[in-house]
Amino acid sequence: AKGVQLYHGLAKGGQIVSLQGEPPFKVTLGNARDINVLYNGKPMDIGAFSRGGVARFKVGDNGLYR
């Protein structure tokens, strides 16, 4: 929401990245088929936002959106 980058990097297999901030969050994930996304402890299905192995979406209090 404030335009601050919360994470940038390459996570290793099995690594958990936990972020805190003010929603909405703009997210870009590579290797999206192998990533599990939780928001406020709830699993999110990122399949509809994935193309060519990369998922791009925003997430906020109402879930995922473009």
Side-chain angles (χ1 to χ4, degrees), residues 10-35:
L10 181 62
K12 300 201 183 301
Q15 181 179 351
I16 296 172
V17 177
S18 179
L19 305 172
Q20 293 182 350
E22 184 178 330
F25 303 101
K26 182 178 176 184
V27 180
T28 302
L29 300 170
N31 201 21
R33 289 178 289 271
D34 295 328
I35 295 176

Side-chain angles (χ1 to χ4, degrees), residues 2-64:
K2 297 184 179 188
V4 176
Q5 188 173 40
L6 299 177
Y7 182 82
H8 180 269
L10 181 62
K12 300 201 183 301
Q15 181 179 351
I16 296 172
V17 177
S18 179
L19 305 172
Q20 293 182 350
E22 184 178 330
F25 303 101
K26 182 178 176 184
V27 180
T28 302
L29 300 170
N31 201 21
R33 289 178 289 271
D34 295 328
I35 295 176
N36 295 312
V37 174
L38 299 174
Y39 182 64
N40 289 334
K42 297 177 185 171
M44 300 281 127
D45 182 3
I46 62 173
F49 303 96
S50 299
R51 186 176 196 179
V54 177
R56 291 180 177 86
F57 56 92
K58 292 180 184 174
V59 62
D61 294 334
N62 294 326
L64 303 180

